[in-house]
Amino acid sequence: MAKQKEAADSVDNVEELPDQPSELAESTHAELLMMYTECAHSIRFAKAQQWHTMGGVLLIFIALGIYSNYLGPSSLALKTALGLSILSSIGGIYSLMIYQFWQATERQKLSFIADRFSSTLRQVRGLTGRQEADLQRYVLLFFMVFCILAGNWLLVLFVTPKLHNLGT
């Protein structure tokens, strides 16, 4: 409740305070504006790639499950499916981390650029707390990693009894 009041006060303050325009030359302002736009697009692209990576790894698990279900009695093929699922998990989680670090770098660029723009832009960017935004990003990252690990675990639970029935 206190945070909502604080946010409402911040919005009111934005309207009350006079705008301090940026002191940049027009050409520099245009360059920074272009870079700001590119950084924002890069962040959106990296977020989309994270979701596509998670979905792709889960689709690989489904394909490996189907492959394992329709195999003849071959322990090598089942062990290969398990190995591929583990490699897919490692690769997927590694990719998620790379995209997360990429987004953090782009956010640093945005902050650096925003500090050179008008006071109104800085106030609007300040409406969302950095800690709150970080918490949301890392909760989503945790969810994606959890989905990959859960998908791998379900595939292992599906394949392991088939492997034990073969006697290996």
mmCIF file with all atom_site columns, all heavy atoms in Angstrom, residues 50-71:
data_model
loop_
_atom_site.group_PDB
_atom_site.id
_atom_site.type_symbol
_atom_site.label_atom_id
_atom_site.label_alt_id
_atom_site.label_comp_id
_atom_site.label_asym_id
_atom_site.label_entity_id
_atom_site.label_seq_id
_atom_site.pdbx_PDB_ins_code
_atom_site.Cartn_x
_atom_site.Cartn_y
_atom_site.Cartn_z
_atom_site.occupancy
_atom_site.B_iso_or_equiv
_atom_site.pdbx_formal_charge
_atom_site.auth_seq_id
_atom_site.auth_comp_id
_atom_site.auth_asym_id
_atom_site.auth_atom_id
_atom_site.pdbx_PDB_model_num
ATOM 1   N N   . GLN A 1 50 ? 15.069 -15.928 -25.274 1.00 0.00 ? 50 GLN A N   1
ATOM 2   C CA  . GLN A 1 50 ? 15.016 -16.762 -24.068 1.00 0.00 ? 50 GLN A CA  1
ATOM 3   C C   . GLN A 1 50 ? 13.785 -17.663 -24.108 1.00 0.00 ? 50 GLN A C   1
ATOM 4   O O   . GLN A 1 50 ? 13.881 -18.865 -23.848 1.00 0.00 ? 50 GLN A O   1
ATOM 5   C CB  . GLN A 1 50 ? 14.971 -15.897 -22.815 1.00 0.00 ? 50 GLN A CB  1
ATOM 6   C CG  . GLN A 1 50 ? 16.306 -15.389 -22.369 1.00 0.00 ? 50 GLN A CG  1
ATOM 7   C CD  . GLN A 1 50 ? 16.214 -14.608 -21.074 1.00 0.00 ? 50 GLN A CD  1
ATOM 8   O OE1 . GLN A 1 50 ? 15.388 -13.716 -20.939 1.00 0.00 ? 50 GLN A OE1 1
ATOM 9   N NE2 . GLN A 1 50 ? 17.069 -14.945 -20.130 1.00 0.00 ? 50 GLN A NE2 1
ATOM 10  N N   . TRP A 1 51 ? 12.629 -17.089 -24.417 1.00 0.00 ? 51 TRP A N   1
ATOM 11  C CA  . TRP A 1 51 ? 11.402 -17.887 -24.459 1.00 0.00 ? 51 TRP A CA  1
ATOM 12  C C   . TRP A 1 51 ? 11.467 -18.929 -25.574 1.00 0.00 ? 51 TRP A C   1
ATOM 13  O O   . TRP A 1 51 ? 11.033 -20.081 -25.383 1.00 0.00 ? 51 TRP A O   1
ATOM 14  C CB  . TRP A 1 51 ? 10.176 -16.989 -24.620 1.00 0.00 ? 51 TRP A CB  1
ATOM 15  C CG  . TRP A 1 51 ? 9.865  -16.239 -23.373 1.00 0.00 ? 51 TRP A CG  1
ATOM 16  C CD1 . TRP A 1 51 ? 10.074 -14.916 -23.140 1.00 0.00 ? 51 TRP A CD1 1
ATOM 17  C CD2 . TRP A 1 51 ? 9.310  -16.775 -22.158 1.00 0.00 ? 51 TRP A CD2 1
ATOM 18  N NE1 . TRP A 1 51 ? 9.685  -14.588 -21.862 1.00 0.00 ? 51 TRP A NE1 1
ATOM 19  C CE2 . TRP A 1 51 ? 9.209  -15.713 -21.228 1.00 0.00 ? 51 TRP A CE2 1
ATOM 20  C CE3 . TRP A 1 51 ? 8.888  -18.040 -21.757 1.00 0.00 ? 51 TRP A CE3 1
ATOM 21  C CZ2 . TRP A 1 51 ? 8.701  -15.872 -19.950 1.00 0.00 ? 51 TRP A CZ2 1
ATOM 22  C CZ3 . TRP A 1 51 ? 8.393  -18.191 -20.482 1.00 0.00 ? 51 TRP A CZ3 1
ATOM 23  C CH2 . TRP A 1 51 ? 8.300  -17.129 -19.593 1.00 0.00 ? 51 TRP A CH2 1
ATOM 24  N N   . HIS A 1 52 ? 12.016 -18.557 -26.724 1.00 0.00 ? 52 HIS A N   1
ATOM 25  C CA  . HIS A 1 52 ? 12.145 -19.521 -27.823 1.00 0.00 ? 52 HIS A CA  1
ATOM 26  C C   . HIS A 1 52 ? 13.120 -20.637 -27.467 1.00 0.00 ? 52 HIS A C   1
ATOM 27  O O   . HIS A 1 52 ? 12.905 -21.796 -27.842 1.00 0.00 ? 52 HIS A O   1
ATOM 28  C CB  . HIS A 1 52 ? 12.591 -18.825 -29.107 1.00 0.00 ? 52 HIS A CB  1
ATOM 29  C CG  . HIS A 1 52 ? 11.534 -17.964 -29.713 1.00 0.00 ? 52 HIS A CG  1
ATOM 30  N ND1 . HIS A 1 52 ? 11.743 -16.650 -30.032 1.00 0.00 ? 52 HIS A ND1 1
ATOM 31  C CD2 . HIS A 1 52 ? 10.250 -18.221 -30.047 1.00 0.00 ? 52 HIS A CD2 1
ATOM 32  C CE1 . HIS A 1 52 ? 10.645 -16.140 -30.532 1.00 0.00 ? 52 HIS A CE1 1
ATOM 33  N NE2 . HIS A 1 52 ? 9.718  -17.073 -30.544 1.00 0.00 ? 52 HIS A NE2 1
ATOM 34  N N   . THR A 1 53 ? 14.179 -20.298 -26.763 1.00 0.00 ? 53 THR A N   1
ATOM 35  C CA  . THR A 1 53 ? 15.145 -21.317 -26.329 1.00 0.00 ? 53 THR A CA  1
ATOM 36  C C   . THR A 1 53 ? 14.477 -22.314 -25.399 1.00 0.00 ? 53 THR A C   1
ATOM 37  O O   . THR A 1 53 ? 14.623 -23.533 -25.575 1.00 0.00 ? 53 THR A O   1
ATOM 38  C CB  . THR A 1 53 ? 16.360 -20.664 -25.638 1.00 0.00 ? 53 THR A CB  1
ATOM 39  O OG1 . THR A 1 53 ? 17.015 -19.806 -26.571 1.00 0.00 ? 53 THR A OG1 1
ATOM 40  C CG2 . THR A 1 53 ? 17.330 -21.705 -25.119 1.00 0.00 ? 53 THR A CG2 1
ATOM 41  N N   . MET A 1 54 ? 13.756 -21.814 -24.418 1.00 0.00 ? 54 MET A N   1
ATOM 42  C CA  . MET A 1 54 ? 13.070 -22.716 -23.489 1.00 0.00 ? 54 MET A CA  1
ATOM 43  C C   . MET A 1 54 ? 12.076 -23.598 -24.245 1.00 0.00 ? 54 MET A C   1
ATOM 44  O O   . MET A 1 54 ? 12.055 -24.820 -24.059 1.00 0.00 ? 54 MET A O   1
ATOM 45  C CB  . MET A 1 54 ? 12.330 -21.930 -22.407 1.00 0.00 ? 54 MET A CB  1
ATOM 46  C CG  . MET A 1 54 ? 11.671 -22.836 -21.367 1.00 0.00 ? 54 MET A CG  1
ATOM 47  S SD  . MET A 1 54 ? 10.484 -22.006 -20.332 1.00 0.00 ? 54 MET A SD  1
ATOM 48  C CE  . MET A 1 54 ? 9.129  -21.763 -21.458 1.00 0.00 ? 54 MET A CE  1
ATOM 49  N N   . GLY A 1 55 ? 11.279 -22.999 -25.117 1.00 0.00 ? 55 GLY A N   1
ATOM 50  C CA  . GLY A 1 55 ? 10.311 -23.773 -25.886 1.00 0.00 ? 55 GLY A CA  1
ATOM 51  C C   . GLY A 1 55 ? 10.982 -24.792 -26.795 1.00 0.00 ? 55 GLY A C   1
ATOM 52  O O   . GLY A 1 55 ? 10.514 -25.923 -26.927 1.00 0.00 ? 55 GLY A O   1
ATOM 53  N N   . GLY A 1 56 ? 12.088 -24.403 -27.409 1.00 0.00 ? 56 GLY A N   1
ATOM 54  C CA  . GLY A 1 56 ? 12.816 -25.322 -28.285 1.00 0.00 ? 56 GLY A CA  1
ATOM 55  C C   . GLY A 1 56 ? 13.366 -26.519 -27.537 1.00 0.00 ? 56 GLY A C   1
ATOM 56  O O   . GLY A 1 56 ? 13.291 -27.663 -28.017 1.00 0.00 ? 56 GLY A O   1
ATOM 57  N N   . VAL A 1 57 ? 13.931 -26.275 -26.357 1.00 0.00 ? 57 VAL A N   1
ATOM 58  C CA  . VAL A 1 57 ? 14.464 -27.391 -25.557 1.00 0.00 ? 57 VAL A CA  1
ATOM 59  C C   . VAL A 1 57 ? 13.325 -28.321 -25.138 1.00 0.00 ? 57 VAL A C   1
ATOM 60  O O   . VAL A 1 57 ? 13.469 -29.546 -25.183 1.00 0.00 ? 57 VAL A O   1
ATOM 61  C CB  . VAL A 1 57 ? 15.255 -26.864 -24.336 1.00 0.00 ? 57 VAL A CB  1
ATOM 62  C CG1 . VAL A 1 57 ? 15.621 -27.991 -23.389 1.00 0.00 ? 57 VAL A CG1 1
ATOM 63  C CG2 . VAL A 1 57 ? 16.516 -26.141 -24.791 1.00 0.00 ? 57 VAL A CG2 1
ATOM 64  N N   . LEU A 1 58 ? 12.183 -27.760 -24.755 1.00 0.00 ? 58 LEU A N   1
ATOM 65  C CA  . LEU A 1 58 ? 11.047 -28.602 -24.379 1.00 0.00 ? 58 LEU A CA  1
ATOM 66  C C   . LEU A 1 58 ? 10.547 -29.412 -25.577 1.00 0.00 ? 58 LEU A C   1
ATOM 67  O O   . LEU A 1 58 ? 10.149 -30.579 -25.423 1.00 0.00 ? 58 LEU A O   1
ATOM 68  C CB  . LEU A 1 58 ? 9.926  -27.749 -23.770 1.00 0.00 ? 58 LEU A CB  1
ATOM 69  C CG  . LEU A 1 58 ? 10.260 -27.097 -22.425 1.00 0.00 ? 58 LEU A CG  1
ATOM 70  C CD1 . LEU A 1 58 ? 9.115  -26.213 -21.965 1.00 0.00 ? 58 LEU A CD1 1
ATOM 71  C CD2 . LEU A 1 58 ? 10.623 -28.130 -21.376 1.00 0.00 ? 58 LEU A CD2 1
ATOM 72  N N   . LEU A 1 59 ? 10.576 -28.824 -26.770 1.00 0.00 ? 59 LEU A N   1
ATOM 73  C CA  . LEU A 1 59 ? 10.204 -29.574 -27.976 1.00 0.00 ? 59 LEU A CA  1
ATOM 74  C C   . LEU A 1 59 ? 11.200 -30.703 -28.258 1.00 0.00 ? 59 LEU A C   1
ATOM 75  O O   . LEU A 1 59 ? 10.801 -31.785 -28.719 1.00 0.00 ? 59 LEU A O   1
ATOM 76  C CB  . LEU A 1 59 ? 10.099 -28.648 -29.181 1.00 0.00 ? 59 LEU A CB  1
ATOM 77  C CG  . LEU A 1 59 ? 8.873  -27.744 -29.216 1.00 0.00 ? 59 LEU A CG  1
ATOM 78  C CD1 . LEU A 1 59 ? 8.959  -26.765 -30.379 1.00 0.00 ? 59 LEU A CD1 1
ATOM 79  C CD2 . LEU A 1 59 ? 7.593  -28.566 -29.282 1.00 0.00 ? 59 LEU A CD2 1
ATOM 80  N N   . ILE A 1 60 ? 12.469 -30.458 -27.984 1.00 0.00 ? 60 ILE A N   1
ATOM 81  C CA  . ILE A 1 60 ? 13.477 -31.526 -28.130 1.00 0.00 ? 60 ILE A CA  1
ATOM 82  C C   . ILE A 1 60 ? 13.159 -32.672 -27.185 1.00 0.00 ? 60 ILE A C   1
ATOM 83  O O   . ILE A 1 60 ? 13.250 -33.848 -27.562 1.00 0.00 ? 60 ILE A O   1
ATOM 84  C CB  . ILE A 1 60 ? 14.900 -30.979 -27.892 1.00 0.00 ? 60 ILE A CB  1
ATOM 85  C CG1 . ILE A 1 60 ? 15.318 -30.077 -29.049 1.00 0.00 ? 60 ILE A CG1 1
ATOM 86  C CG2 . ILE A 1 60 ? 15.907 -32.112 -27.688 1.00 0.00 ? 60 ILE A CG2 1
ATOM 87  C CD1 . ILE A 1 60 ? 16.608 -29.308 -28.822 1.00 0.00 ? 60 ILE A CD1 1
ATOM 88  N N   . PHE A 1 61 ? 12.761 -32.354 -25.951 1.00 0.00 ? 61 PHE A N   1
ATOM 89  C CA  . PHE A 1 61 ? 12.397 -33.400 -24.993 1.00 0.00 ? 61 PHE A CA  1
ATOM 90  C C   . PHE A 1 61 ? 11.200 -34.205 -25.505 1.00 0.00 ? 61 PHE A C   1
ATOM 91  O O   . PHE A 1 61 ? 11.172 -35.436 -25.363 1.00 0.00 ? 61 PHE A O   1
ATOM 92  C CB  . PHE A 1 61 ? 12.067 -32.810 -23.626 1.00 0.00 ? 61 PHE A CB  1
ATOM 93  C CG  . PHE A 1 61 ? 13.234 -32.188 -22.922 1.00 0.00 ? 61 PHE A CG  1
ATOM 94  C CD1 . PHE A 1 61 ? 13.028 -31.213 -21.964 1.00 0.00 ? 61 PHE A CD1 1
ATOM 95  C CD2 . PHE A 1 61 ? 14.549 -32.551 -23.207 1.00 0.00 ? 61 PHE A CD2 1
ATOM 96  C CE1 . PHE A 1 61 ? 14.090 -30.628 -21.296 1.00 0.00 ? 61 PHE A CE1 1
ATOM 97  C CE2 . PHE A 1 61 ? 15.621 -31.969 -22.554 1.00 0.00 ? 61 PHE A CE2 1
ATOM 98  C CZ  . PHE A 1 61 ? 15.387 -31.006 -21.597 1.00 0.00 ? 61 PHE A CZ  1
ATOM 99  N N   . ILE A 1 62 ? 10.228 -33.544 -26.071 1.00 0.00 ? 62 ILE A N   1
ATOM 100 C CA  . ILE A 1 62 ? 9.058  -34.241 -26.620 1.00 0.00 ? 62 ILE A CA  1
ATOM 101 C C   . ILE A 1 62 ? 9.488  -35.157 -27.758 1.00 0.00 ? 62 ILE A C   1
ATOM 102 O O   . ILE A 1 62 ? 9.065  -36.319 -27.823 1.00 0.00 ? 62 ILE A O   1
ATOM 103 C CB  . ILE A 1 62 ? 7.983  -33.234 -27.074 1.00 0.00 ? 62 ILE A CB  1
ATOM 104 C CG1 . ILE A 1 62 ? 7.366  -32.547 -25.857 1.00 0.00 ? 62 ILE A CG1 1
ATOM 105 C CG2 . ILE A 1 62 ? 6.898  -33.917 -27.913 1.00 0.00 ? 62 ILE A CG2 1
ATOM 106 C CD1 . ILE A 1 62 ? 6.469  -31.370 -26.191 1.00 0.00 ? 62 ILE A CD1 1
ATOM 107 N N   . ALA A 1 63 ? 10.350 -34.642 -28.640 1.00 0.00 ? 63 ALA A N   1
ATOM 108 C CA  . ALA A 1 63 ? 10.833 -35.462 -29.761 1.00 0.00 ? 63 ALA A CA  1
ATOM 109 C C   . ALA A 1 63 ? 11.617 -36.672 -29.242 1.00 0.00 ? 63 ALA A C   1
ATOM 110 O O   . ALA A 1 63 ? 11.458 -37.788 -29.766 1.00 0.00 ? 63 ALA A O   1
ATOM 111 C CB  . ALA A 1 63 ? 11.702 -34.617 -30.688 1.00 0.00 ? 63 ALA A CB  1
ATOM 112 N N   . LEU A 1 64 ? 12.450 -36.465 -28.222 1.00 0.00 ? 64 LEU A N   1
ATOM 113 C CA  . LEU A 1 64 ? 13.201 -37.591 -27.654 1.00 0.00 ? 64 LEU A CA  1
ATOM 114 C C   . LEU A 1 64 ? 12.270 -38.592 -26.974 1.00 0.00 ? 64 LEU A C   1
ATOM 115 O O   . LEU A 1 64 ? 12.515 -39.802 -27.016 1.00 0.00 ? 64 LEU A O   1
ATOM 116 C CB  . LEU A 1 64 ? 14.250 -37.085 -26.658 1.00 0.00 ? 64 LEU A CB  1
ATOM 117 C CG  . LEU A 1 64 ? 15.445 -36.347 -27.262 1.00 0.00 ? 64 LEU A CG  1
ATOM 118 C CD1 . LEU A 1 64 ? 16.294 -35.710 -26.167 1.00 0.00 ? 64 LEU A CD1 1
ATOM 119 C CD2 . LEU A 1 64 ? 16.285 -37.289 -28.120 1.00 0.00 ? 64 LEU A CD2 1
ATOM 120 N N   . GLY A 1 65 ? 11.212 -38.108 -26.354 1.00 0.00 ? 65 GLY A N   1
ATOM 121 C CA  . GLY A 1 65 ? 10.226 -39.015 -25.750 1.00 0.00 ? 65 GLY A CA  1
ATOM 122 C C   . GLY A 1 65 ? 9.516  -39.847 -26.806 1.00 0.00 ? 65 GLY A C   1
ATOM 123 O O   . GLY A 1 65 ? 9.317  -41.054 -26.627 1.00 0.00 ? 65 GLY A O   1
ATOM 124 N N   . ILE A 1 66 ? 9.137  -39.211 -27.903 1.00 0.00 ? 66 ILE A N   1
ATOM 125 C CA  . ILE A 1 66 ? 8.486  -39.944 -29.004 1.00 0.00 ? 66 ILE A CA  1
ATOM 126 C C   . ILE A 1 66 ? 9.461  -40.947 -29.605 1.00 0.00 ? 66 ILE A C   1
ATOM 127 O O   . ILE A 1 66 ? 9.108  -42.106 -29.856 1.00 0.00 ? 66 ILE A O   1
ATOM 128 C CB  . ILE A 1 66 ? 7.959  -38.952 -30.065 1.00 0.00 ? 66 ILE A CB  1
ATOM 129 C CG1 . ILE A 1 66 ? 6.800  -38.144 -29.491 1.00 0.00 ? 66 ILE A CG1 1
ATOM 130 C CG2 . ILE A 1 66 ? 7.538  -39.680 -31.339 1.00 0.00 ? 66 ILE A CG2 1
ATOM 131 C CD1 . ILE A 1 66 ? 6.365  -36.967 -30.345 1.00 0.00 ? 66 ILE A CD1 1
ATOM 132 N N   . TYR A 1 67 ? 10.690 -40.510 -29.806 1.00 0.00 ? 67 TYR A N   1
ATOM 133 C CA  . TYR A 1 67 ? 11.737 -41.388 -30.327 1.00 0.00 ? 67 TYR A CA  1
ATOM 134 C C   . TYR A 1 67 ? 11.919 -42.599 -29.410 1.00 0.00 ? 67 TYR A C   1
ATOM 135 O O   . TYR A 1 67 ? 11.990 -43.742 -29.866 1.00 0.00 ? 67 TYR A O   1
ATOM 136 C CB  . TYR A 1 67 ? 13.026 -40.580 -30.452 1.00 0.00 ? 67 TYR A CB  1
ATOM 137 C CG  . TYR A 1 67 ? 14.271 -41.368 -30.762 1.00 0.00 ? 67 TYR A CG  1
ATOM 138 C CD1 . TYR A 1 67 ? 14.500 -41.872 -32.031 1.00 0.00 ? 67 TYR A CD1 1
ATOM 139 C CD2 . TYR A 1 67 ? 15.240 -41.581 -29.779 1.00 0.00 ? 67 TYR A CD2 1
ATOM 140 C CE1 . TYR A 1 67 ? 15.663 -42.583 -32.318 1.00 0.00 ? 67 TYR A CE1 1
ATOM 141 C CE2 . TYR A 1 67 ? 16.403 -42.277 -30.053 1.00 0.00 ? 67 TYR A CE2 1
ATOM 142 C CZ  . TYR A 1 67 ? 16.613 -42.776 -31.320 1.00 0.00 ? 67 TYR A CZ  1
ATOM 143 O OH  . TYR A 1 67 ? 17.756 -43.476 -31.594 1.00 0.00 ? 67 TYR A OH  1
ATOM 144 N N   . SER A 1 68 ? 11.970 -42.375 -28.109 1.00 0.00 ? 68 SER A N   1
ATOM 145 C CA  . SER A 1 68 ? 12.162 -43.456 -27.140 1.00 0.00 ? 68 SER A CA  1
ATOM 146 C C   . SER A 1 68 ? 10.963 -44.390 -27.090 1.00 0.00 ? 68 SER A C   1
ATOM 147 O O   . SER A 1 68 ? 11.112 -45.589 -26.854 1.00 0.00 ? 68 SER A O   1
ATOM 148 C CB  . SER A 1 68 ? 12.394 -42.891 -25.740 1.00 0.00 ? 68 SER A CB  1
ATOM 149 O OG  . SER A 1 68 ? 13.528 -42.098 -25.722 1.00 0.00 ? 68 SER A OG  1
ATOM 150 N N   . ASN A 1 69 ? 9.785  -43.857 -27.305 1.00 0.00 ? 69 ASN A N   1
ATOM 151 C CA  . ASN A 1 69 ? 8.570  -44.659 -27.230 1.00 0.00 ? 69 ASN A CA  1
ATOM 152 C C   . ASN A 1 69 ? 8.446  -45.622 -28.410 1.00 0.00 ? 69 ASN A C   1
ATOM 153 O O   . ASN A 1 69 ? 7.948  -46.736 -28.249 1.00 0.00 ? 69 ASN A O   1
ATOM 154 C CB  . ASN A 1 69 ? 7.342  -43.743 -27.167 1.00 0.00 ? 69 ASN A CB  1
ATOM 155 C CG  . ASN A 1 69 ? 6.105  -44.494 -26.742 1.00 0.00 ? 69 ASN A CG  1
ATOM 156 O OD1 . ASN A 1 69 ? 6.153  -45.303 -25.825 1.00 0.00 ? 69 ASN A OD1 1
ATOM 157 N ND2 . ASN A 1 69 ? 5.006  -44.202 -27.395 1.00 0.00 ? 69 ASN A ND2 1
ATOM 158 N N   . TYR A 1 70 ? 8.911  -45.222 -29.573 1.00 0.00 ? 70 TYR A N   1
ATOM 159 C CA  . TYR A 1 70 ? 8.738  -46.046 -30.769 1.00 0.00 ? 70 TYR A CA  1
ATOM 160 C C   . TYR A 1 70 ? 9.982  -46.812 -31.168 1.00 0.00 ? 70 TYR A C   1
ATOM 161 O O   . TYR A 1 70 ? 10.042 -47.391 -32.250 1.00 0.00 ? 70 TYR A O   1
ATOM 162 C CB  . TYR A 1 70 ? 8.260  -45.169 -31.933 1.00 0.00 ? 70 TYR A CB  1
ATOM 163 C CG  . TYR A 1 70 ? 6.859  -44.681 -31.712 1.00 0.00 ? 70 TYR A CG  1
ATOM 164 C CD1 . TYR A 1 70 ? 6.607  -43.358 -31.386 1.00 0.00 ? 70 TYR A CD1 1
ATOM 165 C CD2 . TYR A 1 70 ? 5.782  -45.562 -31.778 1.00 0.00 ? 70 TYR A CD2 1
ATOM 166 C CE1 . TYR A 1 70 ? 5.313  -42.912 -31.154 1.00 0.00 ? 70 TYR A CE1 1
ATOM 167 C CE2 . TYR A 1 70 ? 4.492  -45.123 -31.539 1.00 0.00 ? 70 TYR A CE2 1
ATOM 168 C CZ  . TYR A 1 70 ? 4.272  -43.805 -31.237 1.00 0.00 ? 70 TYR A CZ  1
ATOM 169 O OH  . TYR A 1 70 ? 2.992  -43.375 -30.993 1.00 0.00 ? 70 TYR A OH  1
ATOM 170 N N   . LEU A 1 71 ? 10.970 -46.857 -30.284 1.00 0.00 ? 71 LEU A N   1
ATOM 171 C CA  . LEU A 1 71 ? 12.182 -47.625 -30.552 1.00 0.00 ? 71 LEU A CA  1
ATOM 172 C C   . LEU A 1 71 ? 11.944 -49.106 -30.310 1.00 0.00 ? 71 LEU A C   1
ATOM 173 O O   . LEU A 1 71 ? 11.118 -49.495 -29.497 1.00 0.00 ? 71 LEU A O   1
ATOM 174 C CB  . LEU A 1 71 ? 13.300 -47.200 -29.595 1.00 0.00 ? 71 LEU A CB  1
ATOM 175 C CG  . LEU A 1 71 ? 14.006 -45.913 -29.905 1.00 0.00 ? 71 LEU A CG  1
ATOM 176 C CD1 . LEU A 1 71 ? 15.021 -45.626 -28.810 1.00 0.00 ? 71 LEU A CD1 1
ATOM 177 C CD2 . LEU A 1 71 ? 14.707 -45.988 -31.221 1.00 0.00 ? 71 LEU A CD2 1
#
